[in-house]
């Protein structure tokens, strides 16, 4: 297996980055992974998406959600090269530092490919789907190519993770319309910006976010890893989506127990260092 040192080496998270993340609910960090690493993994992950994708309808026959991206989860369980990437100690340590926890476990990984001509990703908060007992969860969003505005980079409503708005809305027409209204009414800053190659973002599970359409003729290839506090407990599912996630990503865990099944390996911990 080709080895890339940047997957495991430390990325120093300055105190002001942590403050920015806590205040605004997200952060964009440059030069986190090298162009060589990203070029290599773009090939490998794209191959897996092609192999594992189950969405074969033409874009115009899909609903809003499914026009936004092809979604393939837990590739780490199926391919050891992708596992090496998803288990990156560097990415996991940044997650632990931003969340200010002693360590983080895998909730799941997920490739999100916005196809050429793919639609916008409606406004939403991820934790609507997750039966997690605290807000200490975070997604790293890793574009596998330079991502200009025309490709649909991720963007965030600043400070929205603290406000508690729209937590009951799954991704769809209603989340798009209602959250757009809330962001405007509450004067929350929201500015879409491009991602350089090597730049990644981290956002809390409760941060409101969206992405524009992909108007280019190339796929917007993105890999994500969702981390949770190493001591995260299972909450009583608040809706049907959370029941599905409990069964798929936390099998056998009871409400109030720490989520640490084989599906949730420890990816970084200061307790072990
Ligand atoms: O990639 C996208 O368009 C959406 C990503 C997203 O919502 C997420 O990673 O939480």
């Amino acid at each position: 297996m080709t080895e890339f040192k940047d997957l495991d080496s430390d990325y120093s998270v300055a105190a002001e980055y942590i403050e920015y993340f806590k205040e605004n609910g997200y952060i964009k960090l440059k030069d986190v992974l090298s162009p060589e690493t990203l070029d290599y993994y773009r090939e490998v992950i794209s191959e897996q998406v092609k192999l594992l994708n189950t969405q074969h309808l033409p874009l115009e026959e899909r609903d809003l959600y499914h026009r936004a991206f092809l979604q393939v989860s837990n590739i780490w369980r199926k391919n050891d090269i992708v596992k090496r990437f998803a288990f990156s100690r560097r990415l996991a340590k940044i997650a632990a530092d931003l969340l200010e926890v002693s360590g983080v476990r895998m909730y799941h990984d997920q490739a999100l490919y916005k196809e050429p001509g793919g639609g916008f990703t409606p406004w939403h908060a991820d934790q609507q789907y997750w039966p997690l007992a605290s807000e200490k969860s975070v997604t790293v969003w890793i574009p596998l190519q330079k991502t200009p505005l025309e490709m649909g980079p991720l963007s965030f409503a600043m400070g929205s993770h603290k406000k508690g708005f729209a937590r009951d809305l799954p991704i769809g027409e209603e989340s798009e319309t209602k959250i757009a209204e809330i962001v405007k009414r509450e004067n929350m800053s929201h500015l879409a910006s491009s991602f350089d190659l090597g730049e990644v973002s981290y956002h809390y599970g409760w941060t409101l976010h969206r992405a524009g359409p992909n108007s280019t003729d190339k796929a917007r290839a993105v890999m994500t890893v969702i981390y949770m506090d190493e001591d995260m407990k299972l909450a009583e599912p608040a809706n049907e989506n959370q029941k599905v996630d409990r069964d798929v990503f936390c099998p056998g865990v009871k409400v109030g127990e720490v989520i640490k099944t084989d599906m949730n390996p420890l990816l970084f911990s200061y307790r072990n260092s």
Side-chain angles (χ1 to χ4, degrees):
M1 196 184 300
T2 315
E3 274 302 321
F4 295 96
K5 288 207 175 70
D6 54 338
L7 287 179
D8 284 341
S9 57
D10 280 3
Y11 181 97
S12 166
V13 184
E16 60 261 37
Y17 293 178
I18 298 174
E19 279 320 301
Y20 183 97
F21 176 74
K22 279 172 25 183
E23 187 58 27
N24 297 302
Y26 79 98
I27 191 163
K28 288 175 75 171
L29 300 172
K30 284 189 191 282
D31 300 322
V32 174
L33 295 174
S34 70
E36 293 74 28
T37 303
L38 291 164
D39 285 348
Y40 177 78
Y41 279 100
R42 185 176 62 248
E43 297 290 318
V44 176
I45 294 169
S46 299
E47 197 53 45
Q48 289 301 306
V49 169
K50 220 185 267 173
L51 202 69
L52 301 168
N53 169 48
T54 54
Q55 173 60 261
H56 301 295
L57 283 177
L59 276 166
E60 53 284 4
E61 288 176 32
R62 300 186 208 158
D63 65 13
L64 192 63
Y65 186 126
H66 296 98
R67 280 201 294 276
F69 40 65
L70 301 178
Q71 180 176 19
V72 182
S73 297
N74 266 353
I75 308 180
W76 74 271
R77 309 257 307 164
K78 307 193 175 86
N79 181 283
D80 280 345
I81 306 180
V82 179
K83 178 174 175 182
R84 180 74 193 82
F85 185 81
F87 276 42
S88 160
R89 180 185 176 281
R90 180 185 188 87
L91 295 175
K93 179 176 176 296
I94 297 172
D97 289 345
L98 291 172
L99 290 176
E100 297 186 303
V101 294
S102 59
V104 289
R105 292 180 182 282
M106 168 78 80
Y107 184 59
H108 63 78
D109 72 25
Q110 181 156 269
L112 295 168
Y113 274 49
K114 207 178 269 298
E115 299 151 278
F120 65 90
T121 307
W123 277 112
H124 67 281
D126 303 327
Q127 209 155 321
Q128 202 276 342
Y129 291 82
W130 304 340
L132 305 180
S134 88
E135 75 296 345
K136 298 275 184 186
S137 65
V138 64
T139 299
V140 62
W141 194 84
I142 312 155
L144 302 172
Q145 71 289 300
K146 205 167 159 23
T147 305
L149 279 182
E150 310 82 75
M151 264 192 174
L154 202 60
S155 59
F156 313 87
M158 291 174 87
S160 55
H161 62 304
K162 293 197 239 172
K163 304 267 168 88
F165 293 124
R167 293 192 169 184
D168 55 340
L169 294 178
I171 302 177
E173 310 266 359
E174 195 186 356
S175 71
E176 172 67 9
T177 321
K178 287 207 170 143
I179 297 174
E181 274 166 22
I182 293 168
V183 170
K184 199 162 167 212
R185 186 190 74 209
E186 298 293 319
N187 253 329
M188 288 188 241
S189 295
H190 161 240
L191 194 64
S193 58
S194 59
F195 281 64
D196 286 338
L197 191 61
E199 188 170 10
V200 307
S201 62
Y202 284 77
H203 64 275
Y204 279 112
W206 283 125
T207 302
L208 299 173
H209 55 285
R210 93 187 279 282
N214 180 5
S215 60
T216 74
D217 58 4
K218 296 201 173 50
R220 188 215 65 183
V222 165
M223 184 63 177
T224 65
V225 181
I226 300 156
Y227 306 94
M228 58 186 172
D229 179 0
E230 66 176 319
D231 295 326
M232 183 63 80
K233 294 186 174 134
L234 187 78
E236 185 69 47
N239 55 46
E240 290 306 310
N241 288 330
Q242 291 192 8
K243 281 187 195 156
V244 173
D245 258 41
R246 175 198 58 195
D247 296 345
V248 176
F249 300 120
C250 326
V253 182
K254 299 205 171 56
V255 171
E257 286 179 354
V258 174
I259 306 169
K260 50 176 185 181
T261 75
D262 289 351
M263 306 277 277
N264 321 110
L266 192 61
L267 298 183
F268 174 80
S269 181
Y270 283 107
R271 288 178 190 158
N272 299 340
S273 52

